[in-house]
């Protein structure tokens, strides 16, 4: 039984709602307000889900029908539009409440993600949730961990903002854990409360998303508004289904085959994907892509790069314009932007 049939196979247990304390209720209310602001700002809409908070004992019972989720803090049942949150003993004792907040936000963002179905045989198959995509004919899945990285990145940002504006509610946790303060991307943002890397779910995926957002925003000038513009492109891809604009943005630095490489991100190859994102030159990117992609996917990657004219650009030429952009050589951002436009954007 898959996790999406959890409610169907165990309704008598999930209906037994545990008593939530006042602090848990406050945090749930703050999460709802943060989600409301997110929905209003970005025009994201989804039917309100049913949310169930399960004690450790009931969570273990539910896991009999959802193997593989035992250690998770929560999950979203797409078939029934239900969210299950694991209410740990620490949560009940008013501990780890930042984690409790992040879990609520994380699962609600999953619930709001874009979805698409495809006719297959006599029924319909869910082929896309956010960026997580399934090729039904080939039985392959793409963007699964990349999608989790996007959700974790934005739920983490929302968690940080909620904590930053409600420190009185999390005072004991902040003092005990001494969570790091600082901005995620150097001087791009005003320094506010930030979680430690280990506090993020899917940390390896979040690291990739952060690096990608940072690189793409620097390409536009590296200002706070540039970061926000890039984040909006990710949001439109995750919650509105607009993968095309994200692909175009990624192609500006990594070619038309760049998004295909990111689609294969997983925990084992995350170091290679980081190397791909750091690579200064198409030849180096290609070497990383060959290590990341299965052989047939690498052939498609090469074909995309050749069709878009990326392969004809030399390593020296590539390093030259990157050096000029990164160092500010030859003056203003306008010059650097025009230089990049001339060399790369015209081939998209």
């Amino acid at each position: 039984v898959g996790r999406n049939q959890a409610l169907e196979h165990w309704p008598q247990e999930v209906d037994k709602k545990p008593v939530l304390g006042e602090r848990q209720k406050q945090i749930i209310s703050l999460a709802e307000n943060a989600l409301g602001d997110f929905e209003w700002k970005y025009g994201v809409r989804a039917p309100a889900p049913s949310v169930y908070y399960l004690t450790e004992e009931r969570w273990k019972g539910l896991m009999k029908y959802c193997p593989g989720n035992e250690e998770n803090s929560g999950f979203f049942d797409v078939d029934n539009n239900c969210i299950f949150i694991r209410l740990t003993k620490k949560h009940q004792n008013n501990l780890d409440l930042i984690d409790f907040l992040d879990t609520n936000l994380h699962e609600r963002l999953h619930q709001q993600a874009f979805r698409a179905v495809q006719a297959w045989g006599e029924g319909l198959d869910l082929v896309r949730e956010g960026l997580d995509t399934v090729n039904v004919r080939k039985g392959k899945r793409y963007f699964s961990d990349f999608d989790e990285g996007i959700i974790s990145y934005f739920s983490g940002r929302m968690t940080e903002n909620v904590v930053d504006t409600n420190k009185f509610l999390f005072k004991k946790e902040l003092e005990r854990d001494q969570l790091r303060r600082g901005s995620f991307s150097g001087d791009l943002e005003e320094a506010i409360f930030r979680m430690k890397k280990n506090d993020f779910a899917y940390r390896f995926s979040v690291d990739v998303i952060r690096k990608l957002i940072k690189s793409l925003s620097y390409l536009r000038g590296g200002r706070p508004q540039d970061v926000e513009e890039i984040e909006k492109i990710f949001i439109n891809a995750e919650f509105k289904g607009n993968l095309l604009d994200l692909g175009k943005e990624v192609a500006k630095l990594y070619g038309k085959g760049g998004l295909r490489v990111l689609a294969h991100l997983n925990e084992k190859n995350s170091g290679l994907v980081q190397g791909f994102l750091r690579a200064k030159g198409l030849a180096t990117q290609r070497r990383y892509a060959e290590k990341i992609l299965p052989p047939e996917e690498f052939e498609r990657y090469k074909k995309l790069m050749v069709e878009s004219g990326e392969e004809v650009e030399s390593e020296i030429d590539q390093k030259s314009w990157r050096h000029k952009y990164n160092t500010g050589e030859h003056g203003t951002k306008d010059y650097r932007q025009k230089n990049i436009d001339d060399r790369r954007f015209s081939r998209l």
Side-chain angles (χ1 to χ4, degrees):
V1 178
R3 75 178 194 175
N4 291 339
Q5 289 78 42
L7 186 63
E8 176 184 349
H9 288 270
W10 209 44
Q12 71 278 11
E13 290 296 336
V14 296
D15 283 341
K16 298 177 182 177
K17 297 182 180 179
V19 177
L20 294 169
E22 286 303 313
R23 289 192 70 189
Q24 288 93 47
K25 291 178 181 178
Q26 282 181 287
I27 288 171
I28 292 169
S29 178
L30 290 172
E32 291 290 340
N33 290 338
L35 286 161
D37 292 342
F38 180 85
E39 291 172 352
W40 179 84
K41 182 175 182 179
Y42 296 108
V44 175
R45 295 290 183 271
S50 299
V51 184
Y52 297 93
Y53 295 91
L54 305 181
T55 61
E56 293 277 22
E57 181 181 356
R58 290 172 185 156
W59 183 266
K60 290 178 181 177
L62 183 63
M63 290 306 103
K64 295 176 183 178
Y65 305 96
C66 311
N69 293 286
E70 291 82 1
E71 300 303 318
N72 290 355
S73 299
F75 66 83
F76 170 56
D77 178 346
V78 64
D79 289 347
N80 297 291
N81 194 31
C82 294
I83 291 173
F84 300 91
I85 303 291
R86 181 182 181 184
L87 191 63
T88 68
K89 291 180 180 178
K90 286 187 176 181
H91 294 160
Q92 291 174 300
N93 291 324
N94 293 328
L95 300 173
D96 281 354
L97 293 182
I98 293 177
D99 171 74
F100 181 69
L101 169 64
D102 183 63
T103 299
N104 276 271
L105 291 168
H106 184 103
E107 300 306 332
R108 283 297 300 271
L109 289 181
H110 270 307
Q111 187 263 340
Q112 293 182 336
F114 172 81
R115 289 181 189 81
V117 296
Q118 175 181 318
W120 183 254
E122 297 180 355
L124 296 174
D125 284 302
L126 183 66
V127 295
R128 185 171 164 192
E129 290 184 77
L131 266 70
D132 192 348
T133 304
V134 176
N135 186 319
V136 178
R137 288 184 175 84
K138 295 183 178 180
K140 293 184 178 181
R141 192 173 178 181
Y142 304 95
F143 288 111
S144 179
D145 287 319
F146 190 80
D147 176 81
E148 286 288 358
I150 294 175
I151 293 292
S152 295
Y153 172 84
F154 285 107
S155 68
R157 294 295 301 274
M158 293 168 72
T159 296
E160 291 165 346
N161 291 336
V162 169
V163 174
D164 191 58
T165 53
N166 297 275
K167 291 190 178 74
F168 66 93
L169 188 61
F170 302 95
K171 183 178 179 181
K172 290 184 179 179
E173 288 195 291
L174 296 176
E175 291 175 350
R176 183 181 67 250
D177 297 332
Q178 296 181 339
L179 297 181
R180 178 174 59 85
R181 290 176 60 85
S183 106
F184 87 94
S185 51
D187 60 354
L188 293 185
E189 296 184 322
E190 178 184 0
I192 60 174
F193 164 78
R194 294 295 177 205
M195 295 193 295
K196 293 184 291 188
K197 286 187 176 182
N198 289 336
D199 294 324
F200 284 92
Y202 298 91
R203 172 186 168 183
F204 71 93
S205 299
V206 176
D207 287 345
V208 168
I209 300 301
R210 281 179 162 177
K211 171 62 179 173
L212 189 55
I213 289 176
K214 181 178 179 180
S215 297
L216 295 176
S217 62
Y218 273 145
L219 196 61
R220 293 179 174 224
R223 301 163 299 176
Q225 56 264 43
D226 297 317
V227 177
E228 188 169 344
E229 287 173 2
I230 295 299
E231 287 181 337
K232 188 173 181 179
I233 291 173
F234 277 78
I235 287 169
N236 287 340
E238 176 69 34
F239 299 100
K240 297 183 179 181
N242 186 358
L243 191 57
L244 181 61
D245 284 349
L246 179 60
K248 288 181 177 180
E249 202 67 31
V250 170
K252 292 175 183 179
L253 276 181
Y254 305 104
K256 281 193 172 181
L259 199 61
R260 183 173 294 273
V261 175
L262 297 173
H264 288 78
L265 169 68
N266 58 51
E267 190 167 8
K268 290 183 179 180
N269 69 20
S270 59
L272 292 172
V273 174
Q274 288 271 18
F276 174 81
L277 295 179
R278 291 192 300 266
K280 292 180 170 58
L282 293 173
T284 307
Q285 289 176 12
R286 175 173 171 165
R287 287 195 291 270
Y288 276 108
E290 188 172 12
K291 294 177 181 178
I292 294 166
L293 297 172
E296 67 277 10
E297 294 288 348
F298 181 62
E299 291 302 316
R300 294 189 183 96
Y301 168 84
K302 289 194 297 182
K303 184 178 180 181
L304 281 171
M305 299 296 280
V306 170
E307 287 176 351
S308 61
E310 299 289 346
E311 287 293 335
V312 301
E313 188 169 333
S314 71
E315 180 89 4
I316 295 175
D317 194 35
Q318 180 74 193
K319 286 182 177 179
S320 174
W321 74 257
R322 280 180 182 272
H323 173 75
K324 290 176 182 177
Y325 179 81
N326 291 332
T327 61
E329 186 178 331
H330 297 303
T332 66
K333 174 181 177 289
D334 290 339
Y335 169 84
R336 298 197 301 273
Q337 189 66 47
K338 183 178 185 303
N339 193 29
I340 295 168
D341 287 345
D342 291 344
R343 294 180 182 273
R344 302 295 296 276
F345 295 179
S346 61
R347 292 197 290 272
L348 297 180

